[in-house]
Amino acid sequence: MTDGSPRTADLVLVVDQRLPAPDEDSGSVRLSRMVEELVGLGHQVLFFPLDGRADVPYATRLKELGVAVLGDPAAQLRFLREQGHRIALALLCRPQPAIRLLGEIRDHAPRCTVVYDTVDLHFRRLGRAADLAEREGRTDRFALRAQAETSRALELLLARTCDITLVVSEDERAALRSLVPGADVRVLSNIHVPPAGPAPGAADGARVLFVGHYLHQPNVDAARWLVREVMPLVRREVPEAELDLVGSSAPEAVLSLAGDGVTVHGWVADLAPLYAAARVVAAPLRFGAGVKGKVGEALEHGRPVVGTTLAFEGMGLRDGTEVLVGDGAPELADRIVRLIRDAALGERLVRAALPRLTELFGPARARDTLRGLLP
């Protein structure tokens, strides 16, 4: 629709399934900080949550930044059809939201740059889940493999069709470019802000902390593995060791882990006290993809991290220098025990990791990538 006025493109549209909830999951933390950077660069930002919900406080937080939120699906389509010419950049987050609105945006905002933000390569995560299910002989192995293949087809279509694709690590960039050689794939990883002053010293005691959003299946698996196979080995060496499981949307499979030195906290508004009390943060992920926000968040709070190789994928953190790595339950338990017994080791790891966190995941790097998305 036109009224004869000049068609100036001055708007950044961000589309995701829901509003970012940075107190629940690391993907929301990344997206919230991306939006903050876009606003800081002087762009007018409009957010479409495709679930139709504009919940307080998440909508309020965006509006306080100066971001407009349009939750009603009919109003979203009406805006695209009547005001699409105003959109200079459309940032489409995750595969399903991206494919849902891609046609409308191409038809009604033909001059805008369309960016597909993978958040992580979903088909890679699902494929690894299928690999684990096959190793364990589980009955869901075929269903997981089918989901991975379906997601792969969708994500490769989006990488071919959109103008730019964002991934969170150089490793995922190389993987996607090998599958879609002509795609413009760029890295925009998690955004972390390390503490302004010196990192806090090691916590007293023997508390181990795991943080995860439990709608994300890798976190459910990690919590169960940590409780059932890793912590018994830790407590054999350090009987007083205790584990805190924290995160929203915990299913019965996680809630039932409480007891015998394990506390299931559920969602916690302020994680700072739990981080302050933690001697070590565990990231025992057995499948997944992308860059793991739980690792960066722990380092932001000045806490050493023990995890699997997969937990540190794409982060450039070195075993024995910035983190400790173990891929089996005995190895993970050994690393956790070492950090419980050696406070100085944990402090050395954190001191070495924080400059790397700033270099690789500081706001300046994300700002440069976002600036490059628009002319």
Side-chain angles (χ1 to χ4, degrees):
M1 187 175 79
T2 180
D3 57 5
S5 58
R7 291 179 167 239
T8 57
D10 58 358
L11 188 68
V12 174
L13 173 65
V14 181
V15 177
D16 201 353
Q17 182 59 29
R18 62 171 189 155
L19 294 176
D23 56 354
E24 291 190 4
D25 65 279
S26 66
S28 288
V29 173
R30 173 178 173 271
L31 183 55
S32 293
R33 291 176 177 173
M34 288 168 62
V35 169
E36 290 172 4
E37 293 298 332
L38 285 166
V39 171
L41 289 170
H43 299 298
Q44 184 180 357
V45 179
L46 171 63
F47 200 107
F48 281 8
L50 296 191
D51 65 1
R53 299 176 60 178
D55 294 342
V56 176
Y58 304 125
T60 300
R61 183 179 179 278
L62 288 175
K63 290 173 183 176
E64 287 173 349
L65 286 172
V67 176
V69 176
L70 190 58
D72 178 67
Q76 291 170 355
L77 292 178
R78 187 164 57 249
F79 181 91
L80 289 176
R81 293 165 184 174
E82 296 180 359
Q83 300 293 326
H85 62 274
R86 295 183 52 204
I87 301 171
L89 172 72
L91 181 65
L92 311 181
C93 304
R94 303 173 217 269
Q96 294 297 337
I99 202 67
R100 183 170 158 186
L101 280 193
L102 181 58
E104 292 283 350
I105 289 169
R106 283 299 195 200
D107 288 347
H108 301 292
R111 295 182 299 158
C112 89
T113 300
V114 179
V115 178
Y116 164 47
D117 180 18
T118 62
V119 182
D120 69 10
L121 290 179
H122 291 47
F123 72 86
R124 219 179 192 196
R125 168 165 37 86
L126 289 165
R128 289 167 172 174
D131 291 342
L132 179 62
E134 288 173 1
R135 291 196 301 271
E136 296 183 340
R138 297 191 340 236
T139 57
D140 63 346
R141 60 193 184 276
F142 299 109
L144 287 168
R145 187 66 65 195
Q147 290 175 33
E149 291 301 317
T150 300
S151 184
R152 182 180 187 273
L154 173 56
E155 292 182 88
L156 298 189
L157 170 66
L158 287 165
R160 286 193 299 268
T161 306
C162 294
D163 300 311
I164 299 168
T165 298
L166 297 178
V167 294
V168 293
S169 70
E170 289 292 345
D171 178 63
E172 291 203 343
R173 180 177 185 270
L176 192 57
R177 285 292 305 276
S178 71
L179 296 169
V180 190
D184 183 350
V185 184
R186 308 182 192 183
V187 176
L188 201 164
S189 195
N190 294 347
I191 305 171
H192 290 293
V193 184
D204 295 329
R207 301 199 76 87
V208 180
L209 176 63
F210 175 79
V211 178
H213 180 51
Y214 294 108
L215 290 179
H216 192 57
Q217 286 304 306
N219 289 325
V220 176
D221 176 79
R224 296 174 70 186
W225 189 49
L226 180 61
V227 170
R228 293 175 175 177
E229 298 190 34
V230 179
M231 287 305 296
L233 300 178
V234 172
R235 288 168 65 85
R236 188 179 300 170
E237 298 294 323
V238 186
E240 69 273 22
E242 296 190 23
L243 172 64
D244 294 300
L245 297 178
V246 181
S248 61
S249 304
E252 180 59 29
V254 172
L255 296 174
S256 64
L257 299 173
D260 192 24
V262 178
T263 302
V264 179
H265 295 267
W267 178 81
V268 174
D270 181 9
L271 290 173
L274 283 162
Y275 275 114
R279 183 72 157 207
V280 56
V281 172
L285 297 168
R286 299 199 296 169
F287 67 95
V291 170
K292 316 308 181 293
K294 58 173 54 61
V295 173
E297 181 179 84
L299 294 172
E300 284 182 310
H301 285 271
R303 289 294 169 252
V305 187
V306 170
T308 56
T309 298
L310 183 66
F312 303 117
E313 181 180 44
M315 296 196 74
L317 299 172
R318 296 162 294 180
D319 180 25
T321 302
E322 292 108 5
V323 295
L324 294 183
V325 178
D327 285 314
E331 292 78 20
L332 278 173
D334 171 76
R335 283 27 165 207
I336 290 170
V337 169
R338 284 174 59 190
L339 284 171
I340 290 174
R341 290 176 169 168
D342 189 347
L345 171 61
E347 291 175 352
R348 287 197 301 273
L349 293 172
V350 171
R351 283 198 302 271
L354 287 177
R356 296 284 290 166
L357 197 68
T358 301
E359 174 191 356
L360 298 173
F361 305 103
R365 177 165 288 208
R367 193 177 307 127
D368 287 344
T369 302
L370 289 167
R371 188 181 287 114
L373 298 179
L374 284 167

